[in-house]
Structure formats: C-alpha cells, structure tokens
C-alpha cells in the first residue's frame, strides 16, 4: 500500500518503510530458520468438558531467533505464505508433530489426536493428500490421529474446491476441523456438505462470554448449529472458570486455552498428560 504524493510520486511513510525492511529481514532469516533449528513445535492440550480428559493437542509453531527473539507466528506465518516458504515449513510441522505423536504412543501415553494448522497454500497444493498419507505411512501413525485445521475463510473462499480436497482427505481417514469459526462468512449449505469433524469457536467470541450477552448468544448458536450438523465443538482461548462453566452448560464438547495450559514444548506436554493421568 502506497500513498500518492502531492506531485504524483508514490512514497512510503517512514513507518511503512521500517515495516517492510523488517519483513524482508524476517523473510531472509526464515529461509534458514529450519536448517538452523530455530523452529519448534509446541503443543496445547485439548480437553473434554465432560470428564476433563485430554483428547489431544494443537501443534503451534514457534520461532526463536538469536537477534529478533521470539517472533510471533501471527507475524511470520504471513511472511512464510507470501514467500512460498510455508510449503516446506508446513511440511516440517506435520512431520515433526506426527513423529512426536509416534514417540508418545510408543511411550505408552493414551491415544491422542494432534491437530495441525494448514495454510491456504498448503491446503490447495495438489499433492497434499498424497503427502500426508505417505508421511503417516512412513512414520506409522494411523490417519485417525491426525486432524487438519483449516480456517473458515480458506474453506469458504472456494467452497467447491475445498469440498473436493476435504472429501479426498476424509476418504483417507483424516479428520478436518474449521478454525476461527464465526470470523468469516460461512455458507450454511456448504457447511452442511463439508466433511468436517469439528468447529473451533474463535476466541474473540469466548473472551467476553461472561459479561456480553451477544457473545453468549453467538456461542450457543454455534454449538447448536454444530450439534444439528453432527459436528463437535471446541472453544478456543478459554482462560477462566466462568467461561468454562458457560460452555459446559451449553454442551460444548471440548476446550483449549490457558485455563488448562499454554502451548508447551513436547517434553512438558508429556509431563502434563502424565500428571493428569495420575489424578
Ligand atoms: P490459531 O490457529 O487460531 O491458534 C490459536 C492461538 O491462540 C495460538 O496463538 C495460541 O497460543 C493462542 N491461545 C491459546 N489459548 C489461549 C488463551 O487462553 N488465551 C489467549 N489469549 N490466547 C490463547 P499462536 O501460537 O501465537 O498462533 C497464532 C496463529 O498463528 C495461529 O492461530 C495460526 O493461525 C498461526 N499458526 C501457528 N502455528 C502454525 C502452523 O504450524 N502453521 C500455520 N499455517 N499457521 C500456524
Ligand atoms: Ca488453529
Ligand atoms: Ca483458531
Ligand atoms: Ca486465530
């Protein structure tokens, strides 16, 4: 985005310039982040509201840079998408998460589902279904333990195309969930036809459910919609007991949020699961 100068020239404001310099630096650094082992996958528990069992985890990418420090995925994922780096990074996240799951299964942790975020480019890449099934085969994790998260915006951007890919993945036994549900514009007729296992209620609706009656109405509408379409619901960003109580009363299936745990490195996640088992 440029601004039109008085004499017709386009120029960048100093602030825009600083931002694009940082973006270019980050893009360059991101190219080497994998080989330099600066990327890590963290795991945030997903918990059943019925009995408090840990059903699985969402895999969330972390980038620790020696100079820039911890760079937020909200900043570097868009850079990875615009530069095409997301394909190799996304494949690495999938492989890392599935290999970790295999380690946990072999170590006797209860069976869990690991959810991995997919960007639009990965989802629409022609060989995604083959890539995923080959990887699961190689690592020897059954397909039912992988869940792929796709944002509502990406799914609804080209619903016919999305449906074909989802059908393919579904046929291979892989679960799909719709992320950030409620922030985009869902066509209900498509939603009905999508082979989707779970709707993830966006944290912007969960944040104020205790105080805000409109957010409460939206959340309970999403839960009944999902239940009438035969889909599960998970609420994101649950931080307080008050939020949890409302979600439980509404019949939400699962929650994810700081109330239970922040995203954790693999070893800490494992201890978290073992401690929960002992209680
Ligand atoms: P998301 O998929 O919606 O992930 C949920 C975000 O909410 C995560 O932020 C998580 O750390 C944060 N969160 C979880 N519980 C709470 C809570 O109780 N309160 C609050 N305030 N926040 C909570 P994070 O890890 O910074 O990731 C941001 C976004 O970056 C993700 O949003 C996702 O869109 C993207 N992302 C992260 N990892 C990947 C990845 O491996 N691939 C792709 N394509 N995108 C990723
Ligand atoms: Ca997600
Ligand atoms: Ca989300
Ligand atoms: Ca989000």
């Amino acid at each position: 985005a440029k601004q039109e100068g008085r004499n017709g020239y386009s120029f960048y404001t100093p602030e825009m310039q600083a931002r694009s310099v940082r973006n270019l630096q980050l893009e360059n650094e991101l190219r080497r982040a994998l080989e330099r082992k600066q990327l890590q996958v963290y795991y945030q528990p997903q918990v059943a509201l019925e009995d408090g069992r840990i059903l699985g985890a969402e895999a969330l990418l972390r980038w620790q840079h020696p100079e820039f420090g911890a760079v937020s995925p909200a900043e570097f994922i868009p850079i990875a998408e615009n530069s095409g780096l997301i394909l190799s990074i996304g494949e690495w996240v999938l492989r890392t998460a599935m290999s970790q799951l295999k380690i946990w299964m072999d170590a006797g942790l209860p069976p869990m589902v690991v959810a991995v975020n997919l960007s639009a480019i990965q989802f629409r890449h022609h060989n995604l279904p083959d890539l995923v099934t080959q990887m699961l085969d190689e690592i020897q994790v059954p397909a039912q333990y992988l869940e792929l998260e796709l944002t509502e915006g990406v799914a609804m951007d080209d619903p016919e195309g999305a449906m074909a890919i989802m059908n393919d993945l579904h046929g291979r036994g892989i679960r799909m969930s719709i992320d950030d549900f409620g922030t985009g514009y869902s066509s209900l007729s498509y939603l009905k036809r999508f082979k989707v296992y779970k709707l993830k209620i966006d944290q912007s609706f969960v944040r104020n459910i205790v105080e805000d009656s409109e957010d409460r109405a939206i959340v309970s509408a999403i839960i009944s919609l999902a239940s009438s379409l035969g889909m599960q619901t998970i609420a994101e960003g649950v931080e307080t007991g008050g939020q949890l109580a409302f979600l439980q009363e509404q019949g939400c299936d699962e929650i994810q949020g700081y109330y239970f745990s922040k995203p954790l490195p693999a070893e800490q996640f494992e201890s978290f699961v073992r401690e929960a088992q002992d209680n």
Side-chain angles (χ1 to χ4, degrees):
K2 282 181 216 150
Q3 289 178 3
E4 202 64 36
R6 212 192 294 170
N7 47 12
Y9 286 84
S10 296
F11 63 89
Y12 289 98
T13 65
E15 196 228 323
M16 289 191 315
Q17 199 161 22
R19 213 187 316 141
S20 67
V21 167
R22 177 169 161 96
N23 277 2
L24 279 175
Q25 284 176 324
L26 288 180
E27 184 182 323
N28 274 328
E29 291 301 301
L30 201 50
R31 278 181 204 289
R32 304 211 181 73
L34 267 183
E35 65 195 49
R36 291 178 177 166
K37 303 200 187 310
Q38 294 166 354
L39 298 182
Q40 244 190 307
V41 177
Y42 276 42
Y43 301 87
Q44 188 176 34
Q46 299 185 326
V47 179
L49 267 178
E50 196 180 22
D51 54 10
R53 250 180 339 127
I54 298 168
L55 301 177
E58 178 177 3
L60 292 157
L61 190 53
R62 294 290 176 264
W63 182 16
Q64 186 67 38
H65 187 274
E67 257 170 76
F68 295 121
V71 186
S72 159
E75 183 175 21
F76 74 80
I77 294 285
I79 294 172
E81 286 172 338
N82 291 329
S83 58
L85 287 168
I86 194 66
L87 282 177
S88 53
I89 292 175
E91 185 176 335
W92 179 83
V93 173
L94 266 169
R95 189 176 296 281
T96 304
M98 290 302 99
S99 307
Q100 186 58 61
L101 181 57
K102 174 69 176 165
I103 292 170
W104 285 331
M105 288 171 133
D106 290 349
L109 284 204
M112 289 181 296
V113 174
V114 173
V116 176
N117 291 283
L118 278 190
S119 86
I121 296 168
Q122 277 179 288
F123 179 64
R124 309 251 181 229
H125 194 70
H126 59 91
N127 77 351
L128 174 79
D130 286 341
L131 175 87
V132 171
T133 37
Q134 277 163 20
M135 195 184 283
L136 290 170
D137 231 45
E138 188 189 310
I139 301 172
Q140 297 201 316
V141 167
Q144 78 216 61
Y145 298 117
L146 172 62
E147 183 173 303
L148 296 175
E149 295 194 3
L150 190 68
T151 64
E152 183 183 26
V154 169
M156 291 298 166
D157 183 39
D158 164 22
E160 288 289 346
M163 191 151 51
I165 304 167
M166 283 187 203
N167 284 341
D168 189 348
L169 291 165
H170 180 81
R172 297 167 192 246
I174 297 156
R175 279 189 194 177
M176 301 281 317
S177 59
I178 303 278
D179 202 0
D180 300 350
F181 190 78
T183 61
Y185 302 92
S186 270
S187 151
L188 296 183
S189 62
Y190 276 113
L191 193 60
K192 182 184 78 175
R193 292 160 63 202
F194 282 167
K195 295 259 186 332
V196 163
Y197 180 78
K198 202 195 271 182
L199 296 184
K200 299 197 78 177
I201 305 170
D202 192 67
Q203 54 190 67
S204 61
F205 302 113
V206 174
R207 194 168 302 131
N208 300 315
I209 37 177
V210 172
E211 311 81 39
D212 188 327
S213 63
E214 283 161 355
D215 285 344
R216 273 204 297 279
I218 291 170
V219 167
S220 63
I222 294 175
I223 293 168
S224 31
L225 174 70
S227 128
S228 46
L229 294 175
M231 296 171 183
Q232 303 280 304
T233 42
I234 180 165
E236 295 191 281
V238 177
E239 296 183 354
T240 70
Q243 293 167 335
L244 183 145
F246 174 77
L247 292 160
Q248 199 155 31
E249 175 196 299
Q250 296 299 307
C252 186
D253 298 299
E254 298 175 31
I255 64 166
Q256 180 183 338
Y258 299 165
Y259 181 80
F260 273 102
S261 171
K262 296 198 165 188
L264 301 169
E267 319 75 63
Q268 284 179 40
F269 178 82
E270 180 174 340
S271 324
F272 186 85
V273 173
R274 290 199 189 280
E275 266 165 48
Q277 257 183 323
D278 295 341
N279 293 329

